[in-house]
Structure formats: structure tokens, C-alpha cells
């Protein structure tokens, strides 16, 4: 346990110029006193850990000390080569850098692990885009990616409806969702965070000025929160549907799963025929028609009346076709 912690401490210090005892304690999930003892143990073992005293002090490695990747197990080495998404790296203009990094990591591994990159690539592949869609790489994505890496402000012009809007943004991170690239950024003039679809940018100018990044910003958590908020924001209408047992099972697969689960949980017990009546939030009557049509006779729309009439007309047309 301690040996693994000591290795992690060395790797942390390799990745940053210096770290305070409090920062190391937080990363290693130990007390600052334990950090002090571990630093002393590393020093006694020949690892050149130097402690700067004072309020602004901390720990750092001296003499350009680096450790070789000789402590990796095969599963760890294979997982390391799975961490990249080749298509996404290519679209951001980082394919050459990623290839060089993989070569360097391979060279640092033990000979018995040199085939880890090939064995991982032959077993797992991530294909990000949705089915039946032609992925398009936004022309300005590499410029945006460079700004994200370097913490540089950008002036972006994008389409908003039929008009063009210009914003000065602090680009915090990029997200690839179902083959579509999104930029999570802080609006410089307002200090608020927003999400922009990179494909809607018509011009991007990367400035020389770097912004001070909020270290508390958590990209995965921010994206998850905004994605959930977006999914709920578009559900502006309601329909009342009576479902058979098969309809209940299939409902989460044809509408928003979270909304379906909540609607089913709030529904009254099934009637004597085993049917359950739910009030379901939907994007619009048009969208609900398309979604619920796939349930066929397993769903009966009760309200609104206009949607029920629409399904009644569909039923008559189907009956005429199959008579």
C-alpha cells in the first residue's frame, strides 16, 4: 500500500514543477504528516525530493529526475493505450503528437509489455458517431483545441438562428457527444459557463492572452449537469398514455429514459387488464407521435385529444392497408 503511494507521489511531482504538502495530501488521501514521512523515505531511497520551506514552500524533484515505467502490470499498460480516441485526436490535429507519445511510452515499458498497444487495439475500438449519420469534422476544431490546451482566450463568431453573434470566450474543454463536438467555455464578459456547438462557429481568432483557469471546474460533472438540464428543458408538453405490460417494458427505449422511469414510478397501479396509465413529458406533440407510434397497439393515447385523433386516423389508414 505504501509502495504504491510512494510511486504515485513521485509521478505527481514529475508532472508538476512543485506541490505543497496540502496538495499532495489531498491527491494521496493522507495527512500532511504522512506526506512529510513519505518524502523523507523517498529521499533516503535515492529519489531527489527537495522540500522548500516557508508559506509558499512545497516539494519538488531536482536534477531532472525521471522514473521509468517499469512498475506497470500488463493490464495497466493495455489500459493506458486504450485511453486515447484515435478519431477524436485526428480531428483535433493531435494524431502525430499522440503517435509520438505512444512510441515513447512503448520504449519505456519492459520488453515483456511492448506488445500492449497492439493487444489492446485488437480487442477494443471506440466508434463515437451515431448510426446512419455522416460524421463531419468542424473546420475550426483544431484552432479551438489549441486554445483549450494553451488556456488562451478566443474571439468566436457563431450562428444563432439567422443572425451571427460574437463572443470573447475562455475555452475550458471539448466534449465529443455522438459524433458532435461541443465547447464548454466561460463567457469572459459575464463569468458564466456555456456550451457551444463547434460546428456552428463561423470564425475563431485565438488571442495571445492566457486566462486564469478555475481549478475547481470539473468538465465531466459540468457536462453531465448541462446534458441533463438540456434533456429536461426540451420536454415542454405532456401526453397521457395507457400502456400494456409490453408497452411499459418498451417505453424507456422510445422516449427519454429518465422521464419514462419517473412517469412510471408516479403512475397509479395497473387496472384489471394489467394496463398502466402514465402522464409523460414530451418535446412536442409531433415528436410524441413519432415516438409512441413505435409502440403500436401496446400504447393508447388518452390526451391531448388532437394527438389521440391523429393516432385514430393512423389506425384507420393501417386498417385500410391491411384489410
Amino acid at each position: 500500500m505504501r509502495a504504491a503511494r510512494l510511486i504515485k507521489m513521485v509521478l505527481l511531482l514529475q508532472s508538476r514543477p512543485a506541490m505543497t504538502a496540502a496538495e499532495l495530501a489531498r491527491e494521496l488521501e493522507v495527512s500532511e504528516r504522512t506526506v512529510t514521512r513519505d518524502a523523507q523515505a523517498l529521499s533516503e531511497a535515492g529519489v531527489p525530493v527537495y522540500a522548500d520551506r516557508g508559506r509558499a514552500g512545497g516539494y519538488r524533484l531536482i536534477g531532472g529526475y525521471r522514473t521509468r515505467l517499469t512498475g506497470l502490470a500488463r493490464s495497466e499498460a493495455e489500459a493506458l493505450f486504450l485511453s486515447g480516441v484515435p478519431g477524436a485526436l485526428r480531428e483535433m490535429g493531435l494524431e502525430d503528437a499522440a503517435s509520438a507519445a505512444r512510441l515513447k511510452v512503448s520504449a519505456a515499458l519492459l520488453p515483456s509489455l511492448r506488445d500492449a498497444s497492439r493487444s489492446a487495439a485488437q480487442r477494443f475500438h471506440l466508434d463515437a458517431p451515431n448510426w446512419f449519420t455522416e460524421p463531419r469534422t468542424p473546420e475550426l476544431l483544431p484552432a479551438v483545441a489549441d486554445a483549450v490546451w494553451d488556456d488562451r482566450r478566443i474571439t468566436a463568431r457563431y450562428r444563432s438562428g439567422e443572425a451571427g453573434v460574437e463572443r470573447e470566450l475562455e475555452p475550458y474543454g471539448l466534449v465529443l457527444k455522438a459524433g458532435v463536438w461541443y465547447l464548454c467555455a466561460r463567457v469572459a464578459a459575464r463569468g458564466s459557463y456555456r456550451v457551444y456547438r463547434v460546428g456552428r462557429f463561423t470564425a475563431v481568432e485565438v488571442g495571445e492572452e492566457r486566462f486564469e483557469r478555475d481549478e475547481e471546474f470539473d468538465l465531466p460533472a459540468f457536462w453531465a449537469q448541462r446534458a441533463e438540464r438540456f434533456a429536461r428543458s426540451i420536454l415542454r408538453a405532456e401526453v397521457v398514455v395507457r400502456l400494456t405490460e409490453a408497452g411499459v417494458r418498451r417505453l424507456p427505449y422510445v422516449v427519454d429514459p429518465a422521464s419514462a422511469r419517473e412517469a412510471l414510478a408516479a403512475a397509479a397501479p395497473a387496472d384489471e387488464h394489467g394496463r398502466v396509465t402514465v402522464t409523460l413529458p414530451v418535446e412536442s406533440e409531433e415528436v410524441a407521435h413519432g415516438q409512441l407510434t413505435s409502440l403500436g397497439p401496446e400504447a393508447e393515447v388518452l390526451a391531448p385529444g388532437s394527438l389521440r385523433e391523429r393516432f385514430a386516423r393512423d389506425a384507420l389508414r393501417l386498417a385500410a392497408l391491411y384489410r
Side-chain angles (χ1 to χ4, degrees), residues 43-54:
S43 182
E44 291 172 355
V47 178
V49 178
Y50 180 78
D52 292 312
R53 304 297 178 184

Side-chain angles (χ1 to χ4, degrees), residues 4 17 161 209-210 218 227 232 241 260 264 272 301 308 318 323:
E209 181 184 0
R210 285 188 168 88
D218 185 333
R232 292 184 179 278
V241 186
L264 290 169
E272 65 274 16
V301 174
R308 181 178 174 85
L318 282 170
R323 183 172 298 142

Side-chain angles (χ1 to χ4, degrees), residues 103-137:
L103 286 173
K104 290 178 181 179
V105 171
S106 295
L109 290 172
L110 291 173
S112 60
L113 301 179
R114 296 278 167 82
D115 66 336
S117 62
R118 185 179 183 278
S119 63
Q122 292 303 316
R123 287 164 174 79
F124 300 97
H125 175 67
L126 177 60
D127 185 8
N130 268 333
W131 288 103
F132 314 121
T133 57
E134 186 67 29
R136 294 181 179 179
T137 303

